Amino acid sequence: QVYYQPIIELSSGRFIKAEALVRWKHPRRGMISPVTFIPLAEESGLILEIGELVFKQSIAFIHQWQKRFGYIIQISVNMSPIQFKFMNKFNWLNNLAQLGLPGNCINVEITEGLLLKDSAVVQEYLLEFRNNGIEVSIDDFGTGFSSLSYLKKFDIDYLKIDHSFINQLINSETDRTLVEAIIVMAHKLDIKTIAEGVETHEQQDLLIHFGCDYVQGFLYSEPIKGKAFEKMLVAQSVRK
């Protein structure tokens, strides 16, 4: 099943993006963590089918919401290294074209390690994405290899600050310094920032003070089904 977690623009307080997250509801074991099943899906090759499911369901919702609300809600989808190796990137572009959607309705999330491990293949994909307007985020920034050279080499639109830094934002001076430094560095490179795992108003206020662009976390919403997300958009439209 595909769930969506709202991403909020701090300057306006509006839900203008979402991250698509896969959940597996097993008939006997109930909800199974992605940490458990994603590695198995990658090993078996099923990650390609899962990736297609997430992408197609996401763009169907984007198209539906555009018709209903008159604007684009960008959805972030996570891409596995296996998808980069075996997926036909043009399928996604064709699917977007069939619905008349712009490339920037999709944001591809990749990890730092992926950029360093297989850069030739990744670079080809990222170039094709960029040429067609699809945006790119580095997920869990600061927890991987942390080589900053790829920020020069690749065309990156967003850095997602890992929740492990946000957890201790109030109590740890080191984490506060690191988060502020990431935001300042990103902005100097014309990259926007998204803080993950925001759970308190104190964290939010500090991120506003640091100039962070976007936030997501349980303070705003847990991951929810597409129809539930649509209800939040309706409520937001009414408030406007």
Side-chain angles (χ1 to χ4, degrees):
Q1 298 177 352
V2 186
Y3 284 65
Y4 299 89
Q5 186 168 37
I7 297 174
I8 293 85
E9 183 180 49
L10 278 174
S11 62
S12 66
R14 293 176 59 79
F15 303 107
I16 62 169
K17 302 175 184 287
E19 180 181 0
L21 298 161
V22 181
R23 297 291 182 262
W24 179 14
K25 190 172 184 181
H26 191 277
R28 291 191 306 277
R29 299 180 182 179
M31 296 301 282
I32 297 178
S33 167
V35 176
T36 302
F37 72 81
I38 291 296
L40 296 173
E42 289 179 328
E43 189 178 332
S44 65
L46 280 172
I47 195 68
L48 296 173
E49 290 179 45
I50 293 172
E52 285 298 303
L53 167 74
V54 172
F55 177 77
K56 287 181 177 176
Q57 188 181 114
S58 295
I59 63 172
F61 273 127
I62 293 169
H63 188 236
Q64 182 179 311
W65 296 334
Q66 181 190 30
K67 288 196 293 185
R68 180 165 185 183
F69 302 106
Y71 59 91
I72 293 283
I73 295 290
Q74 185 189 70
I75 292 184
S76 299
V77 295
N78 293 275
M79 268 193 76
S80 155
I82 306 297
Q83 287 172 275
F84 275 99
K85 273 191 174 179
F86 299 107
M87 189 187 88
N88 182 348
K89 57 183 173 287
F90 297 107
N91 285 347
W92 282 18
L93 301 175
N94 292 339
N95 291 151
L96 290 172
Q98 285 169 12
L99 291 177
L101 291 172
N104 65 3
C105 72
I106 287 293
N107 184 315
V108 170
E109 293 196 12
I110 55 179
T111 61
E112 295 176 77
L114 180 59
L115 288 178
L116 299 176
K117 189 166 67 173
D118 201 357
S119 61
V121 175
V122 173
Q123 197 162 13
E124 180 190 337
Y125 264 86
L126 296 188
L127 182 63
E128 196 66 45
F129 286 157
R130 184 187 66 192
N131 289 343
N132 289 277
I134 294 174
E135 296 188 328
V136 178
S137 297
I138 303 297
D139 197 15
D140 302 335
F141 183 76
T143 63
F145 291 91
S146 298
S147 169
L148 300 180
S149 61
Y150 61 70
L151 295 180
K152 291 194 304 178
K153 186 176 180 181
F154 298 96
D155 195 33
I156 305 300
D157 298 286
Y158 302 88
L159 295 183
K160 298 196 76 176
I161 305 169
D162 187 65
H163 64 86
S164 62
F165 295 112
I166 306 303
N167 286 347
Q168 299 300 317
L169 195 59
I170 304 303
N171 300 321
S172 168
E173 186 176 345
T174 301
D175 282 0
R176 284 197 300 276
T177 302
L178 285 170
V179 168
E180 185 175 18
I182 290 169
I183 293 168
V184 170
M185 176 193 68
H187 288 170
K188 290 283 187 183
L189 295 170
D190 201 25
I191 299 172
K192 289 187 166 58
T193 52
I194 303 172
E196 300 180 286
V198 179
E199 296 185 355
T200 69
H201 287 288
E202 290 81 7
Q203 292 169 345
Q204 174 188 266
D205 292 344
L206 207 46
L207 289 164
I208 291 172
H209 176 68
F210 290 158
C212 188
D213 301 289
Y214 302 94
V215 285
Q216 71 182 98
F218 286 176
L219 177 61
Y220 314 99
S221 172
E222 61 183 357
I224 52 180
K225 291 282 191 69
K227 289 298 181 185
F229 184 82
E230 187 172 316
K231 286 181 181 177
M232 294 180 73
L233 293 176
V234 170
Q236 179 170 264
S237 298
V238 170
R239 289 198 302 272
K240 186 178 74 170

PDB file of all heavy atoms in Angstrom, residues 96-111:
ATOM      1  N   LEU A  96       3.992  10.598 -17.598  1.00  0.00           N
ATOM      2  CA  LEU A  96       3.707  12.001 -17.271  1.00  0.00           C
ATOM      3  C   LEU A  96       3.102  12.720 -18.478  1.00  0.00           C
ATOM      4  O   LEU A  96       2.130  13.469 -18.336  1.00  0.00           O
ATOM      5  CB  LEU A  96       4.995  12.715 -16.826  1.00  0.00           C
ATOM      6  CG  LEU A  96       5.568  12.308 -15.465  1.00  0.00           C
ATOM      7  CD1 LEU A  96       6.939  12.946 -15.254  1.00  0.00           C
ATOM      8  CD2 LEU A  96       4.630  12.702 -14.324  1.00  0.00           C
ATOM      9  N   ALA A  97       3.681  12.473 -19.643  1.00  0.00           N
ATOM     10  CA  ALA A  97       3.193  13.129 -20.858  1.00  0.00           C
ATOM     11  C   ALA A  97       1.748  12.736 -21.158  1.00  0.00           C
ATOM     12  O   ALA A  97       0.937  13.574 -21.578  1.00  0.00           O
ATOM     13  CB  ALA A  97       4.098  12.771 -22.036  1.00  0.00           C
ATOM     14  N   GLN A  98       1.406  11.462 -20.933  1.00  0.00           N
ATOM     15  CA  GLN A  98       0.043  10.990 -21.204  1.00  0.00           C
ATOM     16  C   GLN A  98      -0.986  11.715 -20.348  1.00  0.00           C
ATOM     17  O   GLN A  98      -2.126  11.933 -20.775  1.00  0.00           O
ATOM     18  CB  GLN A  98      -0.039   9.479 -20.960  1.00  0.00           C
ATOM     19  CG  GLN A  98       0.616   8.647 -22.061  1.00  0.00           C
ATOM     20  CD  GLN A  98       0.772   7.188 -21.676  1.00  0.00           C
ATOM     21  OE1 GLN A  98       0.207   6.728 -20.678  1.00  0.00           O
ATOM     22  NE2 GLN A  98       1.545   6.442 -22.465  1.00  0.00           N
ATOM     23  N   LEU A  99      -0.590  12.095 -19.129  1.00  0.00           N
ATOM     24  CA  LEU A  99      -1.512  12.805 -18.231  1.00  0.00           C
ATOM     25  C   LEU A  99      -1.379  14.320 -18.366  1.00  0.00           C
ATOM     26  O   LEU A  99      -2.101  15.069 -17.696  1.00  0.00           O
ATOM     27  CB  LEU A  99      -1.250  12.387 -16.774  1.00  0.00           C
ATOM     28  CG  LEU A  99      -1.616  10.955 -16.396  1.00  0.00           C
ATOM     29  CD1 LEU A  99      -1.224  10.655 -14.950  1.00  0.00           C
ATOM     30  CD2 LEU A  99      -3.102  10.681 -16.604  1.00  0.00           C
ATOM     31  N   GLY A 100      -0.448  14.762 -19.206  1.00  0.00           N
ATOM     32  CA  GLY A 100      -0.241  16.199 -19.378  1.00  0.00           C
ATOM     33  C   GLY A 100       0.365  16.858 -18.151  1.00  0.00           C
ATOM     34  O   GLY A 100       0.143  18.050 -17.896  1.00  0.00           O
ATOM     35  N   LEU A 101       1.159  16.083 -17.390  1.00  0.00           N
ATOM     36  CA  LEU A 101       1.758  16.605 -16.159  1.00  0.00           C
ATOM     37  C   LEU A 101       3.190  17.067 -16.413  1.00  0.00           C
ATOM     38  O   LEU A 101       3.930  16.432 -17.166  1.00  0.00           O
ATOM     39  CB  LEU A 101       1.763  15.528 -15.064  1.00  0.00           C
ATOM     40  CG  LEU A 101       0.396  15.128 -14.495  1.00  0.00           C
ATOM     41  CD1 LEU A 101       0.560  13.930 -13.569  1.00  0.00           C
ATOM     42  CD2 LEU A 101      -0.238  16.297 -13.750  1.00  0.00           C
ATOM     43  N   PRO A 102       3.620  18.154 -15.754  1.00  0.00           N
ATOM     44  CA  PRO A 102       5.008  18.607 -15.889  1.00  0.00           C
ATOM     45  C   PRO A 102       5.956  17.700 -15.111  1.00  0.00           C
ATOM     46  O   PRO A 102       5.548  17.059 -14.132  1.00  0.00           O
ATOM     47  CB  PRO A 102       4.975  20.010 -15.274  1.00  0.00           C
ATOM     48  CG  PRO A 102       3.879  19.939 -14.253  1.00  0.00           C
ATOM     49  CD  PRO A 102       2.837  19.017 -14.846  1.00  0.00           C
ATOM     50  N   GLY A 103       7.216  17.645 -15.524  1.00  0.00           N
ATOM     51  CA  GLY A 103       8.202  16.809 -14.836  1.00  0.00           C
ATOM     52  C   GLY A 103       8.360  17.162 -13.369  1.00  0.00           C
ATOM     53  O   GLY A 103       8.546  16.276 -12.525  1.00  0.00           O
ATOM     54  N   ASN A 104       8.223  18.462 -13.037  1.00  0.00           N
ATOM     55  CA  ASN A 104       8.480  18.868 -11.649  1.00  0.00           C
ATOM     56  C   ASN A 104       7.353  18.526 -10.686  1.00  0.00           C
ATOM     57  O   ASN A 104       7.379  18.931  -9.529  1.00  0.00           O
ATOM     58  CB  ASN A 104       8.816  20.361 -11.565  1.00  0.00           C
ATOM     59  CG  ASN A 104       7.662  21.250 -11.976  1.00  0.00           C
ATOM     60  OD1 ASN A 104       6.563  20.775 -12.291  1.00  0.00           O
ATOM     61  ND2 ASN A 104       7.897  22.552 -11.999  1.00  0.00           N
ATOM     62  N   CYS A 105       6.353  17.753 -11.154  1.00  0.00           N
ATOM     63  CA  CYS A 105       5.350  17.240 -10.206  1.00  0.00           C
ATOM     64  C   CYS A 105       5.932  16.061  -9.426  1.00  0.00           C
ATOM     65  O   CYS A 105       5.356  15.630  -8.418  1.00  0.00           O
ATOM     66  CB  CYS A 105       4.065  16.842 -10.919  1.00  0.00           C
ATOM     67  SG  CYS A 105       4.191  15.331 -11.915  1.00  0.00           S
ATOM     68  N   ILE A 106       7.090  15.547  -9.901  1.00  0.00           N
ATOM     69  CA  ILE A 106       7.742  14.418  -9.239  1.00  0.00           C
ATOM     70  C   ILE A 106       9.114  14.843  -8.729  1.00  0.00           C
ATOM     71  O   ILE A 106       9.854  15.572  -9.392  1.00  0.00           O
ATOM     72  CB  ILE A 106       7.899  13.225 -10.218  1.00  0.00           C
ATOM     73  CG1 ILE A 106       6.546  12.567 -10.472  1.00  0.00           C
ATOM     74  CG2 ILE A 106       8.895  12.187  -9.698  1.00  0.00           C
ATOM     75  CD1 ILE A 106       5.936  11.863  -9.262  1.00  0.00           C
ATOM     76  N   ASN A 107       9.428  14.380  -7.520  1.00  0.00           N
ATOM     77  CA  ASN A 107      10.751  14.594  -6.929  1.00  0.00           C
ATOM     78  C   ASN A 107      11.315  13.209  -6.608  1.00  0.00           C
ATOM     79  O   ASN A 107      10.691  12.442  -5.880  1.00  0.00           O
ATOM     80  CB  ASN A 107      10.599  15.434  -5.654  1.00  0.00           C
ATOM     81  CG  ASN A 107      11.923  15.797  -5.027  1.00  0.00           C
ATOM     82  OD1 ASN A 107      12.818  14.968  -4.897  1.00  0.00           O
ATOM     83  ND2 ASN A 107      12.058  17.040  -4.610  1.00  0.00           N
ATOM     84  N   VAL A 108      12.462  12.902  -7.170  1.00  0.00           N
ATOM     85  CA  VAL A 108      13.092  11.601  -6.941  1.00  0.00           C
ATOM     86  C   VAL A 108      14.035  11.706  -5.746  1.00  0.00           C
ATOM     87  O   VAL A 108      14.920  12.562  -5.722  1.00  0.00           O
ATOM     88  CB  VAL A 108      13.863  11.138  -8.198  1.00  0.00           C
ATOM     89  CG1 VAL A 108      14.714   9.921  -7.881  1.00  0.00           C
ATOM     90  CG2 VAL A 108      12.891  10.820  -9.323  1.00  0.00           C
ATOM     91  N   GLU A 109      13.833  10.841  -4.744  1.00  0.00           N
ATOM     92  CA  GLU A 109      14.698  10.832  -3.564  1.00  0.00           C
ATOM     93  C   GLU A 109      15.715   9.697  -3.677  1.00  0.00           C
ATOM     94  O   GLU A 109      15.343   8.546  -3.891  1.00  0.00           O
ATOM     95  CB  GLU A 109      13.873  10.657  -2.281  1.00  0.00           C
ATOM     96  CG  GLU A 109      12.977  11.847  -1.982  1.00  0.00           C
ATOM     97  CD  GLU A 109      12.475  11.855  -0.541  1.00  0.00           C
ATOM     98  OE1 GLU A 109      12.988  11.070   0.294  1.00  0.00           O
ATOM     99  OE2 GLU A 109      11.558  12.640  -0.260  1.00  0.00           O
ATOM    100  N   ILE A 110      16.989  10.058  -3.531  1.00  0.00           N
ATOM    101  CA  ILE A 110      18.063   9.068  -3.567  1.00  0.00           C
ATOM    102  C   ILE A 110      18.969   9.286  -2.363  1.00  0.00           C
ATOM    103  O   ILE A 110      18.935  10.335  -1.729  1.00  0.00           O
ATOM    104  CB  ILE A 110      18.881   9.156  -4.879  1.00  0.00           C
ATOM    105  CG1 ILE A 110      19.414  10.586  -5.070  1.00  0.00           C
ATOM    106  CG2 ILE A 110      18.054   8.744  -6.070  1.00  0.00           C
ATOM    107  CD1 ILE A 110      20.253  10.756  -6.322  1.00  0.00           C
ATOM    108  N   THR A 111      19.793   8.283  -2.054  1.00  0.00           N
ATOM    109  CA  THR A 111      20.701   8.388  -0.901  1.00  0.00           C
ATOM    110  C   THR A 111      22.067   8.882  -1.345  1.00  0.00           C
ATOM    111  O   THR A 111      22.435   8.791  -2.528  1.00  0.00           O
ATOM    112  CB  THR A 111      20.872   7.024  -0.218  1.00  0.00           C
ATOM    113  OG1 THR A 111      21.446   6.111  -1.162  1.00  0.00           O
ATOM    114  CG2 THR A 111      19.539   6.486   0.276  1.00  0.00           C
TER     115      THR A 111
END
